[in-house]
Amino acid sequence: MNIRQAIRGAAALDAGAIVLFAAVGRANHDEGILGRAGLGLATTVWPFLAGAAIGWVIAKGWSKPCAWRPTGVVVWASTLVGGMLLRVASGQGVEVSFVVVAGLVLASFLIGWRVISGLLAKRPGLKR
Protein backbone atom coordinates (compact mmCIF):
# COMPACT_ATOMS: atom_id res chain seq x y z
CA MET A 1 0.00 0.00 0.00
CA ASN A 2 1.33 3.43 -0.86
CA ILE A 3 0.80 6.63 1.13
CA ARG A 4 -1.95 7.91 -1.18
CA GLN A 5 -3.95 4.74 -0.63
CA ALA A 6 -3.38 5.02 3.12
CA ILE A 7 -4.55 8.65 3.13
CA ARG A 8 -7.70 7.84 1.13
CA GLY A 9 -8.43 4.79 3.26
CA ALA A 10 -7.91 6.63 6.55
CA ALA A 11 -10.04 9.58 5.45
CA ALA A 12 -12.79 7.20 4.30
CA LEU A 13 -12.69 5.28 7.59
CA ASP A 14 -12.89 8.53 9.56
CA ALA A 15 -15.79 9.84 7.48
CA GLY A 16 -17.60 6.51 7.63
CA ALA A 17 -17.16 6.31 11.40
CA ILE A 18 -18.54 9.82 11.83
CA VAL A 19 -21.54 9.09 9.58
CA LEU A 20 -22.17 5.86 11.53
CA PHE A 21 -21.98 7.79 14.82
CA ALA A 22 -24.56 10.32 13.57
CA ALA A 23 -26.86 7.68 12.06
CA VAL A 24 -26.88 5.55 15.21
CA GLY A 25 -27.48 8.63 17.34
CA ARG A 26 -30.43 9.69 15.18
CA ALA A 27 -31.86 6.17 15.26
CA ASN A 28 -31.52 5.97 19.05
CA HIS A 29 -33.51 9.17 19.38
CA ASP A 30 -36.22 8.07 16.93
CA GLU A 31 -35.31 10.90 14.56
CA GLY A 32 -34.87 8.73 11.48
CA ILE A 33 -32.12 9.05 8.94
CA LEU A 34 -33.86 11.65 6.77
CA GLY A 35 -35.85 13.53 9.39
CA ARG A 36 -38.82 15.73 8.58
CA ALA A 37 -37.16 17.94 5.99
CA GLY A 38 -35.25 15.10 4.37
CA LEU A 39 -31.89 16.46 5.55
CA GLY A 40 -31.72 14.85 8.99
CA LEU A 41 -28.49 12.90 8.74
CA ALA A 42 -26.76 15.62 6.73
CA THR A 43 -27.78 18.23 9.29
CA THR A 44 -26.45 16.10 12.13
CA VAL A 45 -23.21 14.95 10.52
CA TRP A 46 -21.81 18.04 8.76
CA PRO A 47 -20.43 19.78 11.88
CA PHE A 48 -18.48 16.67 12.85
CA LEU A 49 -17.16 16.07 9.33
CA ALA A 50 -16.02 19.70 9.20
CA GLY A 51 -14.34 19.30 12.60
CA ALA A 52 -12.58 16.16 11.37
CA ALA A 53 -11.35 17.95 8.24
CA ILE A 54 -9.92 20.70 10.42
CA GLY A 55 -8.24 18.05 12.56
CA TRP A 56 -6.66 16.46 9.50
CA VAL A 57 -5.15 19.84 8.59
CA ILE A 58 -3.96 20.59 12.14
CA ALA A 59 -2.39 17.12 12.50
CA LYS A 60 -1.07 17.08 8.92
CA GLY A 61 -2.86 13.75 8.80
CA TRP A 62 -1.59 13.02 5.33
CA SER A 63 1.90 12.47 6.76
CA LYS A 64 0.86 9.64 9.15
CA PRO A 65 -2.81 8.93 8.35
CA CYS A 66 -2.99 5.65 10.28
CA ALA A 67 -1.08 6.73 13.40
CA TRP A 68 -3.24 6.84 16.51
CA ARG A 69 -1.07 9.62 17.83
CA PRO A 70 -0.81 12.32 16.93
CA THR A 71 -3.18 11.99 13.95
CA GLY A 72 -5.98 9.99 15.59
CA VAL A 73 -5.98 12.02 18.79
CA VAL A 74 -5.95 15.37 16.99
CA VAL A 75 -8.65 14.31 14.52
CA TRP A 76 -10.80 13.00 17.40
CA ALA A 77 -10.39 16.17 19.51
CA SER A 78 -11.07 18.43 16.54
CA THR A 79 -14.08 16.37 15.49
CA LEU A 80 -15.55 16.60 18.98
CA VAL A 81 -14.76 20.24 19.80
CA GLY A 82 -15.23 21.58 16.28
CA GLY A 83 -18.39 19.55 15.82
CA MET A 84 -19.93 20.83 19.05
CA LEU A 85 -18.97 24.45 18.33
CA LEU A 86 -20.43 24.23 14.83
CA ARG A 87 -23.60 22.63 16.24
CA VAL A 88 -24.01 25.57 18.61
CA ALA A 89 -23.29 28.08 15.83
CA SER A 90 -25.91 26.45 13.61
CA GLY A 91 -28.59 26.39 16.31
CA GLN A 92 -28.41 22.66 17.03
CA GLY A 93 -28.58 21.36 20.58
CA VAL A 94 -25.56 20.53 22.71
CA GLU A 95 -25.96 19.05 26.17
CA VAL A 96 -23.27 17.82 28.55
CA SER A 97 -24.44 14.20 28.29
CA PHE A 98 -24.27 14.41 24.48
CA VAL A 99 -20.71 15.78 24.62
CA VAL A 100 -19.64 12.95 26.93
CA VAL A 101 -21.24 10.21 24.83
CA ALA A 102 -19.99 11.75 21.57
CA GLY A 103 -16.49 12.04 23.00
CA LEU A 104 -16.39 8.39 24.04
CA VAL A 105 -17.92 7.02 20.85
CA LEU A 106 -15.84 9.19 18.53
CA ALA A 107 -12.65 8.31 20.45
CA SER A 108 -13.39 4.61 20.13
CA PHE A 109 -14.10 5.04 16.41
CA LEU A 110 -11.43 7.53 15.31
CA ILE A 111 -8.60 6.41 17.57
CA GLY A 112 -9.73 2.79 17.87
CA TRP A 113 -9.36 1.74 14.24
CA ARG A 114 -5.88 3.25 14.19
CA VAL A 115 -4.82 1.32 17.33
CA ILE A 116 -6.17 -1.93 15.86
CA SER A 117 -4.47 -1.22 12.53
CA GLY A 118 -1.16 -0.61 14.28
CA LEU A 119 -1.43 -3.82 16.27
CA LEU A 120 -2.26 -5.83 13.17
CA ALA A 121 0.64 -4.28 11.26
CA LYS A 122 3.06 -5.42 13.98
CA ARG A 123 1.97 -9.05 13.87
CA PRO A 124 4.82 -11.38 12.97
CA GLY A 125 4.65 -12.92 9.55
CA LEU A 126 2.46 -10.15 8.12
CA LYS A 127 3.48 -9.44 4.56
CA ARG A 128 4.35 -5.75 4.27
Side-chain angles (χ1 to χ4, degrees):
M1 176 185 307
N2 66 39
I3 190 68
R4 285 193 174 129
Q5 290 171 319
I7 293 166
R8 282 193 292 268
L13 279 170
D14 284 350
I18 293 165
V19 170
L20 178 63
F21 156 74
V24 169
R26 290 188 63 80
N28 283 336
H29 292 284
D30 296 323
E31 294 176 324
I33 297 297
L34 296 178
R36 284 181 258 168
L39 297 174
L41 182 60
T43 301
T44 302
V45 79
W46 80 262
F48 298 103
L49 289 173
I54 292 166
W56 266 77
V57 171
I58 292 169
K60 297 179 184 167
W62 52 89
S63 63
K64 291 185 179 180
C66 299
W68 77 267
R69 70 170 194 259
T71 306
V73 172
V74 172
V75 169
W76 162 70
S78 182
T79 301
L80 181 64
V81 174
M84 293 302 170
L85 290 173
L86 289 168
R87 279 182 64 87
V88 169
S90 65
Q92 298 183 55
V94 174
E95 295 187 22
V96 173
S97 60
F98 175 53
V99 175
V100 171
V101 170
L104 293 171
V105 171
L106 289 169
S108 67
F109 284 4
L110 299 174
I111 298 171
W113 77 256
R114 287 175 167 92
V115 169
I116 293 168
S117 172
L119 292 172
L120 290 174
K122 291 179 182 177
R123 286 180 38 201
L126 186 68
K127 190 173 183 179
R128 296 184 210 282

